[in-house]
Amino acid sequence: MKSTVVIKTDQAPEPVGPYNQAIKAGEFIYCSGQIAINPQTNSIDCLGDIEKETTQVLNNLKAVLISGGAIMNDVIKTTIFLTDLNDFQKVNSIYKEFFKGPKTPARACVEVSSLPKGVSVEIDCIAFIG
C-alpha cells in the first residue's frame, strides 16, 4: 500500500497558497519552495537583502526537513529560483554553509521574472531518508 504523509511545522512559515510545506512519500521528502518569511513574525524581515533572504529560506527548509525526520545532508536535489542571476555568487556563499561535504545535492538555478511577495530567492528540495 502506498502512503504519503503531510509534513507540517510551526518552525517554518505557513504556505502562502493551497499546498503543504512538504510531503513524505516512502523514503523521500518533497519540500515545497520556501521564501524568506520569518515564521515567528509571519513577515519578511529582510526583503531586498539577498544574503539574509537566502539564510532565512534555508533555515525554513531545514526546519521542514527536521520535522519530517531528515537533515540537510539528506537532501539530494535543490532548485534555486532567483529574480537576478547576478546574485548567484552571494547565494552560493550562503548555500555552501548549509550543504557541506562531498555529497552536496544536485541542483538547478534559474532566473525568474518575479517571486511571491516580492522576494529575491526561493528554494525547494528533495531529501532521501532511506
Side-chain angles (χ1 to χ4, degrees):
M1 181 170 121
K2 295 181 183 180
S3 67
T4 58
V5 177
V6 172
I7 297 172
K8 182 173 173 42
T9 178
D10 62 2
Q11 299 302 302
E14 290 284 330
V16 297
Y19 58 90
N20 289 295
Q21 292 170 329
I23 297 290
K24 188 179 205 177
E27 297 179 323
F28 292 91
I29 296 175
Y30 298 88
C31 292
S32 295
Q34 287 288 327
I35 60 174
I37 297 173
N38 179 331
Q40 279 69 48
T41 64
N42 198 37
S43 64
I44 302 167
D45 305 331
C46 54
L47 191 63
D49 184 325
I50 191 65
E51 287 100 341
K52 288 181 180 177
E53 280 192 41
T54 303
T55 300
Q56 183 67 62
V57 166
L58 290 167
N59 280 326
N60 291 345
L61 277 176
K62 184 177 179 180
V64 173
L65 288 165
I66 289 170
S67 180
I71 59 174
M72 295 299 269
N73 285 343
D74 294 326
V75 174
I76 59 171
K77 173 74 168 77
T78 62
T79 307
I80 301 173
F81 303 92
L82 294 173
T83 57
D84 186 349
L85 273 178
N86 290 317
D87 290 330
F88 184 77
Q89 292 305 326
K90 291 177 183 176
V91 170
N92 263 345
S93 68
I94 305 300
Y95 182 94
K96 71 181 181 182
E97 296 303 314
F98 284 82
F99 297 105
K100 298 180 180 184
K103 289 176 62 177
T104 55
R107 181 176 91 176
C109 181
V110 296
E111 183 177 72
V112 295
S113 62
S114 65
L115 289 166
K117 301 196 176 281
V119 298
S120 301
V121 60
E122 179 175 349
I123 303 174
D124 68 18
C125 73
I126 300 169
F128 177 71
I129 54 174

